Amino acid sequence: MNILSIAIKEMKHDFRDRRTILFMLGFPIVLMLILGLALTNAFSSEVSVGDVKVAVKDATGGGPLSEAFAGFAKEVGKTGVAFEPLKPGVNGREEVENNHVSGYVELTNQGISLYGSSRDAIESNIVQGMLASFTDKYNAAAAVARIEPAKTEMVLATGGSDYIRELSVDANRTPGSVDYYALAMTVMVGMWAAMGAGALIQGEVLRGTAVRLVIAPIRKGEIFVGKMLGGIISNLLCVMVIILFSKYVFKAYWGHHMGVVIAVLVSEVIMAMSLGLAGSYLLKGKASRGVISLVVQLMSFFGGAYFPILDEEGGGLMGFLVNLSPIRWANHGLTQVIYADNVSAAWPVLMLNIGFAALFLGVSILAMRRREGL
């Protein structure tokens, strides 16, 4: 009963502080709106590729390869990739170097050679993929011709659209700017619980109520658990408000696994509360809140809360700091859950959050036991 009373007291204290509510709710919602609208174009996944022109030199003198390639070129021409014969006296490699064509193909009795352009990497990759598909089919047809020549044409009778095939779990479901910042701001607010946790004990000391709590017929463990429970519930309510607001007002997409998403956010809030509490014990005095606030803001910055960081897999100091941020863990894991239906991506995040929460809580309990007061 004492634990519940202390938890309710903490929740009332948090929600009576208008500045805290404005900071926890108003600031992320406004930031979500501003960044979501301002950076709309930065999240566009549409890439426009015009007609692709490829020069072809046929040195086979006719034959099965030449005939098969002519049929292949005719079909893929319907998709915007034009294989045009190289004009006499023109060097195909120089045409590629001068960026006049996207690629140069040589047909010989030994096979097919492709020279691509590094300036037009996308076009070159498209041509390379098409030729790889054609080569596989031609080799298969050649193998069939040795056994049953009558079925050779059946192997090669494939439309040009089949040389490129796009597969996706949900091709139309990619995070837009509002979707990205809805998730990023929610995760960031969950991490802000560390700043409030830094004042759970220090606030009682500064207000002079710590002595009263110590002499009251309440155990330290009850005080500890009650204050932690109240702080966790208060922060989770703020997180839920942001989720609901972004979903129904900004129309942000949260996927079909809200239970998993909420579980990750709950573990993050618990870890953040534990971090803030441990920091308040290890960094004594008023300076502890400033240090905790700085650490949380750095986590937000390197975790991609304010802008996407795409080089998280890179090495160096930047890659290390990005991968060190709990906000980055949550953002990455929840993105996989929401947009790829990869629920298993949430388990590493949950385990990391719970593991660090247990570590920080252990440090806080040891520090509290060594003190005479709170």
Side-chain angles (χ1 to χ4, degrees):
M1 192 64 184
N2 290 332
I3 293 175
L4 185 60
S5 299
I6 294 173
I8 294 174
K9 174 263 178 187
E10 286 297 324
M11 294 170 60
K12 289 181 178 179
H13 179 269
D14 290 337
F15 289 113
R16 284 173 181 171
D17 190 344
R18 296 180 181 179
R19 290 179 298 178
T20 301
I21 295 300
L22 180 64
F23 179 71
M24 294 290 288
L25 296 178
F27 178 73
I29 289 174
V30 171
L31 198 61
M32 188 191 311
L33 176 63
I34 294 174
L35 294 177
L37 294 178
L39 300 178
T40 301
N41 294 331
F43 288 81
S44 176
S45 60
E46 297 181 359
V47 179
S48 178
V49 179
D51 293 338
V52 180
K53 185 178 179 181
V54 183
V56 181
K57 180 180 179 181
D58 188 353
T60 61
L65 177 59
S66 180
E67 294 177 3
F69 190 85
F72 160 75
K74 180 179 178 181
E75 290 297 330
V76 298
K78 301 174 183 178
T79 66
V81 180
F83 288 88
E84 301 178 353
L86 185 67
K87 296 179 180 179
V90 178
N91 189 310
R93 298 187 187 185
E94 292 182 356
E95 289 290 287
V96 175
E97 292 175 359
N98 295 329
N99 206 31
H100 294 160
V101 293
S102 299
Y104 168 55
V105 176
E106 285 185 356
L107 299 179
T108 65
N109 292 324
Q110 286 72 38
I112 302 175
S113 300
L114 170 64
Y115 301 90
S117 172
S118 59
R119 299 179 184 178
D120 298 322
I122 296 177
E123 289 86 347
S124 295
N125 289 334
I126 290 174
V127 176
Q128 183 179 0
M130 284 184 163
L131 286 177
S133 179
F134 166 74
T135 303
D136 291 340
K137 290 189 176 183
Y138 180 79
N139 291 334
V144 171
R146 298 190 190 98
I147 303 173
E148 296 187 37
K151 295 185 178 181
T152 303
E153 293 184 0
M154 185 186 302
V155 178
L156 293 174
T158 304
S161 60
D162 289 335
Y163 286 101
I164 294 180
R165 182 171 297 173
E166 180 179 350
L167 298 176
S168 174
V169 174
D170 191 350
N172 296 323
R173 180 56 64 186
T174 55
S177 57
V178 173
D179 299 322
Y180 176 86
Y181 284 109
L183 176 59
M185 292 296 112
T186 304
V187 175
M188 183 178 70
V189 168
M191 198 65 211
W192 280 355
M195 295 185 286
L200 282 179
I201 303 301
Q202 292 294 333
E204 300 290 350
V205 175
L206 294 175
R207 289 192 297 268
T209 54
V211 177
R212 296 182 180 180
L213 285 174
V214 171
I215 63 177
I218 306 174
R219 292 179 296 178
K220 282 187 178 181
E222 293 177 327
I223 299 173
F224 185 88
V225 174
K227 295 180 78 66
M228 280 289 294
L229 181 61
I232 290 172
I233 295 175
S234 297
N235 283 278
L236 282 177
L237 288 175
C238 292
V239 167
M240 292 304 301
V241 168
I242 294 176
I243 291 176
L244 295 174
F245 193 91
S246 64
K247 183 175 182 177
Y248 294 107
V249 177
F250 294 153
K251 305 302 179 181
Y253 181 72
W254 284 95
H256 306 291
H257 306 283
M258 281 305 298
V260 178
V261 172
I262 293 173
V264 172
L265 293 172
V266 169
S267 68
E268 185 203 15
V269 170
I270 295 174
M271 189 271 291
M273 291 288 296
S274 304
L275 172 63
L277 194 60
S280 68
Y281 277 113
L282 297 177
L283 305 171
K284 301 177 182 179
K286 297 181 180 179
S288 62
R289 296 191 66 180
V291 174
I292 294 171
S293 177
L294 176 62
V295 170
V296 171
Q297 292 303 324
L298 288 175
M299 289 179 178
S300 302
F301 177 81
F302 289 110
Y306 301 113
F307 56 89
I309 297 179
L310 303 178
D311 193 26
E312 71 272 7
E313 299 296 336
L317 180 60
M318 185 63 177
F320 173 75
L321 292 174
V322 168
N323 289 311
L324 196 63
S325 173
I327 293 179
R328 177 61 223 174
W329 309 339
N331 275 337
H332 182 73
L334 291 179
T335 299
Q336 292 294 314
V337 172
I338 295 170
Y339 297 100
D341 288 330
N342 183 14
V343 178
S344 62
W347 298 118
V349 183
L350 281 167
M351 293 300 102
L352 283 171
N353 287 340
I354 293 173
F356 278 107
L359 175 63
F360 294 139
L361 283 174
V363 171
S364 302
I365 292 172
L366 289 175
M368 183 182 66
R369 287 181 176 179
R370 291 180 179 179
R371 290 187 179 186
E372 292 184 0
L374 293 178

